[in-house]
Amino acid sequence: MAGSAPNLQIHRFPQPKYIDALKWLPPIAAFDRFIVLSLFDPSSDSSSIEIQSLSLSTHSPELHLLSTWPSHSRISCLSVCPFFQKPIIAAASLSGSLHFVVADAIEASIDDGFSVEDKGFHRAGVFSIDLQSSTCECVSAGEDGRINLSKIEGSRVVYGTVFDGKGLVSYTSARWASPWEFATGGLGFGVQFWDQRKPGGPVSQSPAKWIEGSSSGIVHSLDIHPSRKHICVVGGSGGTVFAWDLRWQKQPVMLCGGGTADPMAEGEVWKVQYDHYSQSANPSTQIPPVMMCSDDGILAIVEPGEEEPIELLAEPCAINGFDIDPQNPSDLICHLEWEEIAILMRP
Amino acid sequence: MPGRASESATTALVPFVPEVKEQLVYRLSHGVQTPASSLSISWSRGNSLRVAIFRQPSLESSEEMAGNSGEGDVVELRMGVEDGEIDEVRKRRIAYGSAPAFALLQSRRNLVMASNSFGSSLHSDWWQHVLEYSRHIRDLLGNLKSSPVSVIEDPKALLKSSEKPTSSKAAWELMEFFYVDKLSLSWLPERLVDWLADYDSLLSGTDMTVHSKLASLQKKLVELQFIEDSKEYWEAIASALAVGWLDIVVKLLRLHGSYQLDQIDNREIENGLVEAIAVLVSTMPRMRPELRAGGLGQCFDTKPDFVKAWEKWRGQVAKLDCSAFWVKCDHRQTMDGLKNLLQIMLGNLDDLCAATYQWMELLTSHFLFIRPFTMGLEAMHSLAQKCILLKPTSDGNRLMDLLLGILGDNTEVVLAECSRTFGPWMVVHAIELLTAKSHQAEVVLHEQRYNLGGISIEELHRLVYAQVLSSHALTWQLAPIYLAACPKQGLGLLELLLYKQPMRHNRQILKNIEICRLYELGQIESSIMKIAGMHHWKHGRKGAGIYWLQRAGDEARLNEIAQQLFGLVGKSFSDESFRQWERLIELLGVEGENLGGLEFLHKYRDFKKSLQMIPDDVSIEPSNEKAVNAAVQAVDALILLMKSPSTPQRFWLPLLQDSMKLLNWRHRPLLNVSQTNLLLNKLQELSLARLRPDYCDSDLPHQVLSSIRLALAMNLGRAMIQE
């Protein structure tokens, strides 16, 4: 049913621990490439952030551990932002704390950073964070219904609460659209668009029950195209990927799942991201190709319209997330449920 | 009391023999400083034992101890023996890799069974599916990766430097060629020779083996100048020949001093003899379809061809033995060593015995040089017994016990050895091999047994393995694959397993639900959602709580929640917090769908929303259409609310108070006669209810009540006039 990608190079790297999240790091050295990942060891109940380098010089690529930073609580998500020569890594935890750590380019180490752990920040797990690439401001959304903005100022983190849902709502994902605007997603496939200049509530909100069977859906991931800020692509329960266009707010554009006859994936879609590398088969469409990964082990590129999705991976276990290298968009990393990292290189 | 150690052996059903004779004492470090007053011990997840230690509560020291947090401590103890060969991470990796292969084989079996009209027996080519499965799993157990082949081969490297073989892989391979691979039946002895070549180092950890002999020679090889003078050199060649490592034999022979350029002239005859033996060794006929890479000998597929070549080769060996050149050989050690090799090739039992160390090695040499036609398990088994008599082992080797079980054709023994040595993983996956072609084993393993509670041995082991998997946070998701293959108790155990999973995070909940969906466990699915809903609700995440309870369709709890929410709504439903509530109500979705008592909130939201759109200014012009429309809508919502049985009585008064604006509408009465009557009736009902002892007083003062009554009365009058 789905087309497959030819000449795809796949390298697998088993890890001794469960991988909760992973990201490419902006290049901090000339030749090697770096990834940051958060690991969880259930036997000792400990969590850590690691930086590993990927060397491609040899015939088969290798991953080397460079440095590790222990975390008190389990990391739920990571976000990375280049900051001069030192990329800043933000990590949020399931206990509601947020940590900023700085990756050192020369030493290839992790410098102890700044943390927010007080009760006023988030009272429950933070499910999603996103660093604004130009301002390094961090938006965080949690299941307690809070949306916070945090920033490093001097030697401490200052934060402000944009919205406090007081537990009446839960947010599961957040993503910047511009230095002022961001989008969030939550239960029931609800999507909201916020503008810091208009405080008090979302400026736009998806209607209730707007997708077939949406009462059972949760948004797990959002992405916003840098040049088309009005289109927000959303991935969630039941293999559903859809786009929400702010200009036609009442009706979503279904890309995958959501009651289609022959769904490619049926499990949760854990992550969606615009794929700048693959060419759109139909350049006239508004929505560029989107990459998604699912709990039933599918990594694929979907597009609106009649085009068949392109399946990159079909694993026997869940693919919990992936990241496309912003510098080399042909390459991507994904992390699998069975303690494994896979690196995919497209021709 | 059956099974108790204190009972005499005659009454015990199962004799209880404690495995550990000596008592072991482990020290436990904990943070409680003063003597502990009480201990609580319970099982935690998997093999962890949770020990809670409490300090004696004393009043005087409580202050000084407060900072020390020494009131009590909880320590988790991980029980169990670390397997030296395979660590936990590797074990998990094997478990991950074998589960899809197992699932694929099961689904294929079901397909074959469904398409087979003859009933229970599987197709004759079923073994090929099992072989594919077996090879997949064998690769997981460790790839015998030899280091990259260099262009210039080191002539002195005898043994390939590769990673140490694992005994689980050795056991797996044994079972594979005995039980699965039909093609290997015709050359089983030679397969055992190959097997020994790979795993000889595992036969004994302490005693001498051919492998250890060669390994020690390898170390000395660099130092020895006149290699042929050394006794060890000739012994090692003899040993290697006895177990059929022909390439090593030839390699070692070519290291003989007579090959050296400066000596070849003086030792021409000696060198000729060495070379003649080397040629004989490398042309040895072998009853097998093909050689392994680097192996030596001539292969023969059919027995007649092999017999012909074998006789011819033996003739050549015997002829060389009687050759006249031996007299002219000056070098004593060379002559003795070479003569010994000839005796081995001729199958002299004494020399074979002397050249081998373990009975398995002796058995292999039998296959090679004495009885190359040994076929059938029975013949092999009796031969093995003979070899054991000649070479008794001091310590029982587990691999050898397994081999004896296989040769003895005893499925139960094989399973017991697998279980004892390699644990539940091996048993579950090896059962597929045992039943690949043997009908008898299938009967033994699939038979339902009364003493196992009506399940088969196969199912028992799958259940055990599933338990092992479910005891670890990362592998429990594999357990359903094995439980699904248990026809009797699998689903029951799966339900229990799902109930026991933690529900702290959405990801875990969604995973559990996904498993329920796959195995069609609708009831469990809704239970999980209910548990998740209550968990979120209890932790103050009302939205998430309602979300999960709605998905579960739990009307009883939603009603209960609605009652609680009414309390909150009555107090805090000010315009300020309305925005937050709105999102929650939005989530509740369209009316009438799994809403329970929350339906009220939904209508109340509509009512409030309409009310908010009406400006507070009383003198609204009738031309202000927007405000009038909103007011009309608010009236509709109010009537709906008042009519609805789900609106609790205690909300009537606050609702009426909220709608004063509507009742006092200046330009025309917004409510008609019947509507006003309805409200008046409700008000009357309320006044009566106030007299009842169980009435809970709402905060509204009496004055409000009378002003509402007045407004209603006025409205009624105006409505009557208008009508």
Side-chain angles (χ1 to χ4, degrees):
Chain A
M1 52 171 257
S4 61
N7 302 326
L8 187 70
Q9 270 189 66
I10 304 169
H11 305 282
R12 288 161 191 277
F13 302 94
Q15 301 290 312
K17 291 166 189 171
Y18 189 82
I19 305 143
D20 280 326
L22 90 184
K23 285 268 175 200
W24 289 100
L25 269 186
I28 45 182
F31 297 109
D32 282 355
R33 288 152 82 183
F34 300 90
I35 57 174
V36 55
L37 55 158
S38 73
L39 296 166
F40 175 66
D41 182 2
S43 55
S44 61
D45 209 13
S46 59
S47 227
S48 59
I49 296 175
E50 282 185 1
I51 291 184
Q52 301 199 0
S53 74
L54 172 71
S55 51
L56 294 164
S57 50
T58 48
H59 182 64
S60 60
E62 281 172 42
L63 272 183
H64 298 285
L65 172 65
L66 292 180
S67 55
T68 169
W69 184 84
S71 165
H72 299 302
S73 48
R74 188 163 176 180
I75 302 293
S76 54
C77 46
L78 291 171
S79 187
V80 171
C81 149
F83 187 69
F84 301 111
Q85 273 302 298
K86 292 185 173 184
I88 289 180
I89 302 161
S93 77
L94 285 178
S95 64
S97 56
L98 178 69
H99 311 275
F100 289 95
V101 290
V102 183
D104 193 290
I106 298 134
E107 306 274 318
S109 65
I110 304 178
D111 294 348
D112 251 341
F114 321 101
S115 299
V116 206
E117 277 165 305
D118 58 317
K119 283 270 182 292
F121 186 59
H122 279 284
R123 277 165 301 190
V126 180
F127 280 168
S128 181
I129 50 170
D130 192 26
L131 284 173
Q132 222 293 321
S133 56
S134 56
T135 59
C136 263
E137 195 168 20
C138 180
V139 57
S140 57
E143 61 177 336
D144 59 350
R146 280 192 187 197
I147 298 170
N148 287 328
L149 293 176
S150 356
K151 210 173 182 180
I152 302 175
E153 262 179 28
S155 59
R156 63 192 196 96
V157 183
V158 287
Y159 70 87
T161 302
V162 177
F163 184 75
D164 187 358
K166 299 207 168 124
L168 298 174
V169 279
S170 285
Y171 295 107
T172 50
S173 51
R175 185 102 179 134
W176 284 106
S178 72
W180 291 104
E181 300 151 301
F182 58 88
T184 57
L187 305 176
F189 281 139
V191 192
Q192 303 83 32
F193 202 80
W194 307 74
D195 192 330
Q196 285 191 68
R197 293 162 295 196
K198 296 173 190 162
V203 285
S204 305
Q205 186 154 303
S206 64
K209 296 269 177 179
W210 62 320
I211 293 173
E212 189 72 25
S214 68
S215 63
S216 53
I218 301 180
V219 172
H220 295 303
S221 174
L222 290 169
D223 198 18
I224 294 167
H225 199 279
S227 61
R228 286 167 207 172
K229 280 172 190 151
H230 51 87
I231 301 175
C232 182
V233 63
V234 182
S237 304
T240 309
V241 179
F242 63 89
W244 186 47
D245 193 328
L246 285 174
R247 296 168 304 180
W248 292 282
Q249 291 185 16
K250 297 284 172 204
Q251 199 60 45
V253 183
M254 299 307 291
L255 300 180
C256 180
T260 46
D262 188 14
M264 180 177 53
E266 287 177 66
E268 310 291 318
V269 174
W270 293 120
K271 166 109 189 195
V272 286
Q273 195 175 351
Y274 280 111
D275 181 25
H276 303 299
Y277 182 71
S278 51
Q279 298 288 320
S280 175
N282 186 6
S284 63
T285 59
Q286 285 289 317
I287 303 157
V290 176
M291 194 178 287
M292 53 86 97
C293 70
S294 79
D295 197 67
D296 36 11
I298 305 289
L299 180 75
I301 301 164
V302 290
E303 263 196 88
E306 300 299 304
E307 286 305 312
E308 294 274 304
I310 300 167
E311 207 171 85
L312 299 178
L313 269 184
E315 292 290 304
C317 64
I319 300 178
N320 284 332
F322 67 89
D323 191 32
I324 301 172
D325 190 350
Q327 263 72 37
N328 306 281
S330 64
D331 301 350
L332 60 127
I333 38 174
C334 58
H335 58 116
L336 313 180
E337 188 182 20
W338 289 347
E339 298 169 73
E340 198 170 58
I341 297 175
I343 296 181
L344 282 81
M345 294 177 183
R346 292 180 276 179
Chain B
M1 280 265 182
R4 276 254 310 257
S6 57
E7 296 285 317
S8 66
T10 48
T11 56
L13 280 181
V14 184
F16 175 72
V17 186
E19 265 189 38
V20 183
K21 298 274 169 20
E22 291 167 43
Q23 287 179 339
L24 294 168
V25 177
Y26 296 103
R27 290 196 175 276
L28 193 67
S29 61
H30 56 82
V32 183
Q33 283 149 7
T34 46
S37 71
S38 60
L39 279 178
S40 156
I41 302 173
S42 62
W43 282 109
S44 172
R45 189 165 194 144
N47 281 355
S48 298
L49 202 60
R50 190 174 286 159
V51 185
I53 304 138
F54 301 98
R55 197 172 65 96
Q56 188 104 44
S58 62
L59 292 169
E60 46 194 84
S61 63
S62 62
E63 267 178 41
E64 57 183 87
M65 294 299 285
N68 257 338
S69 71
E71 290 296 330
D73 205 351
V74 182
V75 183
E76 266 202 350
L77 272 176
R78 298 231 307 142
M79 312 291 279
V81 202
E82 284 287 310
D83 189 340
E85 198 174 54
I86 300 176
D87 61 3
E88 282 295 318
V89 174
R90 181 88 185 275
K91 264 189 192 160
R92 286 211 296 275
R93 197 136 295 288
I94 292 172
Y96 293 146
S98 49
F102 179 85
L104 179 67
L105 191 71
Q106 297 308 318
S107 74
R108 276 186 176 160
R109 181 196 295 273
N110 293 340
L111 269 181
V112 170
M113 295 283 246
S115 66
N116 192 355
S117 51
F118 298 107
S120 65
S121 71
L122 291 160
H123 272 300
S124 52
D125 57 353
W126 171 248
W127 65 271
Q128 284 172 341
H129 292 301
V130 183
L131 189 64
E132 194 184 313
Y133 155 84
S134 172
R135 292 205 168 128
H136 178 86
I137 295 211
R138 197 180 66 190
D139 289 344
L140 285 174
L141 291 172
N143 273 325
L144 278 181
K145 260 186 275 166
S146 46
S147 45
V149 187
S150 55
V151 186
I152 307 156
E153 213 179 332
D154 181 6
K156 286 189 175 176
L158 299 179
L159 301 162
K160 282 184 197 121
S161 56
S162 54
E163 62 176 304
K164 201 176 179 302
T166 60
S167 50
S168 48
K169 191 176 180 194
W172 189 268
E173 227 167 87
L174 264 186
M175 286 187 278
E176 181 184 299
F177 62 71
F178 272 107
Y179 291 118
V180 186
D181 196 350
K182 263 195 176 164
L183 297 178
S184 74
L185 275 185
S186 57
W187 54 292
L188 264 181
E190 280 280 352
R191 292 227 42 176
L192 274 174
V193 172
D194 286 352
W195 182 86
L196 189 73
D198 288 337
Y199 302 109
D200 189 50
S201 58
L202 296 171
L203 287 192
S204 177
T206 48
D207 296 344
M208 181 87 99
T209 59
V210 175
H211 182 270
S212 64
K213 179 98 195 165
L214 285 170
S216 74
L217 177 71
Q218 170 89 71
K219 276 182 206 147
K220 289 181 191 161
L221 219 49
V222 197
E223 301 157 17
L224 288 174
Q225 205 177 356
F226 302 105
I227 196 167
E228 61 274 20
D229 291 345
S230 147
K231 195 176 155 211
E232 244 184 326
Y233 168 72
W234 291 107
E235 278 176 4
I237 295 182
S239 293
L241 179 62
V243 293
W245 303 350
L246 305 184
D247 48 336
I248 294 178
V249 175
V250 171
K251 207 173 204 180
L252 274 173
L253 283 175
R254 299 256 156 89
L255 292 175
H256 192 273
S258 62
Y259 282 96
Q260 309 237 335
L261 286 178
D262 53 341
Q263 297 182 26
I264 198 155
D265 295 337
N266 307 336
R267 304 165 73 172
E268 207 172 346
I269 288 173
E270 196 184 333
N271 182 253
L273 285 168
V274 175
E275 184 57 28
I277 299 270
V279 169
L280 271 179
V281 166
S282 51
T283 56
M284 180 180 168
R286 316 215 27 187
M287 179 76 182
R288 56 189 294 160
E290 63 196 4
L291 286 172
R292 305 217 296 186
L296 293 176
Q298 304 177 64
C299 298
F300 292 95
D301 240 349
T302 57
K303 201 171 161 182
D305 289 347
F306 174 76
V307 173
K308 226 185 270 171
W310 172 257
E311 292 300 335
K312 194 177 153 206
W313 182 73
R314 292 272 288 214
Q316 286 167 345
V317 175
K319 201 172 148 196
L320 184 62
D321 196 27
C322 310
S323 161
F325 287 108
W326 293 110
V327 193
K328 294 180 190 164
C329 179
D330 302 327
H331 198 265
R332 174 104 203 135
Q333 278 97 334
T334 303
M335 194 181 82
D336 286 350
L338 291 179
K339 280 256 177 188
N340 187 30
L341 295 185
L342 283 175
Q343 285 307 309
I344 286 174
M345 283 194 270
L346 287 170
N348 186 323
L349 186 58
D350 291 336
D351 289 300
L352 286 176
C353 258
T356 52
Y357 305 96
Q358 302 287 328
W359 68 259
M360 175 70 199
E361 292 165 358
L362 184 59
L363 180 68
T364 312
S365 65
H366 263 90
F367 290 149
L368 283 166
F369 300 105
I370 303 180
R371 294 167 63 178
F373 305 118
T374 313
M375 284 299 153
L377 289 179
E378 220 170 306
M380 284 190 185
H381 191 239
S382 64
L383 194 56
Q385 294 295 348
K386 205 174 116 192
C387 294
I388 292 174
L389 284 179
L390 288 168
K391 294 239 175 247
T393 40
S394 51
D395 56 338
N397 181 282
R398 299 267 160 109
L399 274 177
M400 290 301 94
D401 292 346
L402 177 67
L403 179 62
L404 280 177
I406 293 173
L407 294 178
D409 200 12
N410 194 333
T411 314
E412 276 112 327
V413 170
V414 173
L415 269 193
E417 288 299 337
C418 279
S419 162
R420 193 163 64 109
T421 313
F422 305 105
W425 176 86
M426 180 64 106
V427 183
V428 166
H429 292 90
I431 281 177
E432 302 302 325
L433 307 185
L434 299 186
T435 54
K437 3 172 244 204
S438 158
H439 182 64
Q440 186 218 341
E442 211 177 310
V443 170
V444 169
L445 295 171
H446 291 169
E447 184 190 8
Q448 293 174 4
R449 294 181 183 240
Y450 174 70
N451 58 356
L452 297 179
I455 58 173
S456 62
I457 292 184
E458 182 184 67
E459 179 164 352
L460 174 76
H461 286 294
R462 284 177 185 168
L463 291 174
V464 169
Y465 180 56
Q467 293 268 19
V468 172
L469 286 175
S470 59
S471 72
H472 194 278
L474 296 185
T475 55
W476 78 268
Q477 288 143 1
L478 301 175
I481 295 175
Y482 294 90
L483 289 173
C486 295
K488 292 232 154 170
Q489 296 185 4
L491 277 187
L493 207 65
L494 180 56
E495 291 182 8
L496 281 179
L497 171 66
L498 286 167
Y499 271 130
K500 282 199 284 185
Q501 289 311 311
M503 313 250 176
R504 277 170 52 207
H505 307 300
N506 276 344
R507 217 169 239 255
Q508 287 166 330
I509 299 164
L510 290 168
K511 190 85 213 173
N512 295 350
I513 290 171
E514 176 71 12
I515 289 172
C516 291
R517 191 181 63 85
L518 280 177
Y519 296 98
E520 291 165 1
L521 299 168
Q523 193 124 32
I524 311 289
E525 188 176 346
S526 77
S527 299
I528 287 173
M529 290 174 182
K530 283 178 195 175
I531 296 171
M534 286 317 289
H535 176 83
H536 282 296
W537 181 262
K538 276 193 292 187
H539 284 82
R541 296 187 288 274
K542 299 189 174 62
I546 292 175
Y547 168 79
W548 286 114
L549 288 174
Q550 262 194 315
R551 275 189 72 175
D554 187 350
E555 293 211 7
R557 280 199 185 77
L558 283 173
N559 272 328
E560 188 64 33
I561 280 177
Q563 294 302 325
Q564 289 193 30
L565 280 181
F566 295 155
L568 290 170
V569 169
K571 286 190 199 98
S572 70
F573 223 56
S574 60
D575 298 345
E576 184 68 14
S577 58
F578 187 70
R579 270 179 171 277
Q580 288 155 4
W581 283 95
E582 219 181 332
R583 222 23 234 163
L584 174 72
I585 295 163
E586 201 102 289
L587 185 68
L588 299 179
V590 183
E591 286 168 63
E593 196 184 295
N594 292 340
L595 276 178
L598 295 170
E599 200 184 339
F600 161 75
L601 279 177
H602 214 268
K603 286 180 182 145
Y604 189 64
R605 195 263 320 246
D606 293 345
F607 173 62
K608 270 281 191 186
K609 230 178 176 172
S610 315
L611 270 187
Q612 275 184 337
M613 283 159 75
I614 306 168
D616 279 335
D617 187 8
V618 191
S619 58
I620 300 165
E621 293 301 313
S623 56
N624 187 348
E625 236 175 71
K626 209 174 154 194
V628 175
N629 277 342
V632 172
Q633 272 174 16
V635 168
D636 288 346
L638 174 70
I639 297 301
L640 269 176
L641 271 172
M642 286 310 242
K643 270 186 184 163
S644 162
S646 68
T647 308
Q649 205 178 39
R650 61 196 154 106
F651 272 100
W652 293 352
L653 214 47
L655 276 172
L656 286 171
Q657 198 193 5
D658 278 348
S659 46
M660 286 292 273
K661 219 192 304 191
L662 303 172
L663 297 175
N664 295 329
W665 199 260
R666 268 184 52 183
H667 304 285
R668 62 181 177 96
L670 286 173
L671 289 90
N672 61 27
V673 178
S674 66
Q675 285 170 335
T676 323
N677 273 330
L678 174 84
L679 298 186
L680 272 171
N681 280 338
K682 293 278 176 192
L683 199 65
Q684 186 64 17
E685 228 175 284
L686 264 183
S687 318
L688 285 174
R690 283 175 86 105
L691 305 173
R692 286 219 304 268
D694 59 340
Y695 177 77
C696 50
D697 197 45
S698 99
D699 301 335
L700 294 171
H702 191 73
Q703 193 192 346
V704 174
L705 196 67
S706 52
S707 65
I708 292 173
R709 190 168 281 143
L710 181 68
L712 276 172
M714 275 173 66
N715 194 79
L716 183 64
R718 286 162 64 200
M720 281 172 121
I721 292 165
Q722 198 181 35
E723 281 173 22

